[in-house]
Amino acid sequence: MTPAPGTGPESPSTVTDPGVLPWVRIDAASSVPPYEQLRLQILDAVNEGRLAVGTRLPPVRALAGHLGLAVNTVARAYRELEQAQVVTTRSRAGTVVAAAGDAGRSRVAEAARVFADTARANGIPADDAVALVRAALQ
């Protein structure tokens, strides 16, 4: 499928078809759940500036139909993005990219700096500290 003009990965997006994010690809063979694949692709697009603040995302049902996913799968991805303050959802306005999209990332970056300082202060080698973080994320 060819992306609509102005919506490809190389350019900022204004979603022209309300049911499509043409660059989203769900790999059914992946060990990563579909909701997480969708969440990560939208998050990357926001962080890279391909989805600008205020961009309206497709309605859950429309995107689910386009991607061949269950409505609950898309809803979960949107819900997790909302919890991370990457998007906001208002009943009539739909789901839009939030201005505070980087707030969650900033909080995590700050927590990582504090963790790294604590690990260094306690003589924990970097590999061990990373292993601790990986274990905590499981």
Side-chain angles (χ1 to χ4, degrees):
M1 172 188 272
T2 304
T7 60
E10 63 283 338
S11 62
S13 175
T14 55
V15 179
T16 55
D17 180 341
V20 177
L21 294 176
W23 36 265
V24 171
R25 300 288 182 261
I26 302 300
D27 180 1
S30 174
S31 63
V32 177
Y35 80 90
E36 183 67 3
Q37 291 180 51
L38 177 59
R39 185 189 72 80
L40 290 171
Q41 289 179 59
I42 292 172
L43 181 61
D44 286 347
V46 170
N47 288 334
E48 294 168 4
R50 289 185 284 130
L51 284 176
V53 170
T55 300
R56 185 173 178 200
L57 297 182
V60 170
R61 289 185 190 281
L63 186 57
H66 171 73
L67 295 173
L69 297 173
V71 170
N72 287 340
T73 300
V74 175
R76 181 172 179 184
Y78 278 22
R79 195 170 41 252
E80 290 194 10
L81 288 165
E82 188 169 19
Q83 289 171 348
Q85 299 178 342
V86 174
V87 300
T88 58
T89 301
R90 287 172 254 131
S91 60
R92 299 247 179 213
T95 301
V96 297
V97 176
D102 287 335
R105 191 177 210 60
S106 295
R107 285 191 302 275
V108 171
E110 178 58 26
R113 281 189 289 277
V114 170
F115 175 77
D117 291 344
T118 303
R120 274 192 294 275
N122 287 285
I124 306 294
D127 289 343
D128 291 349
V130 170
L132 290 168
V133 170
R134 281 198 179 101
L137 289 170
Q138 295 303 318

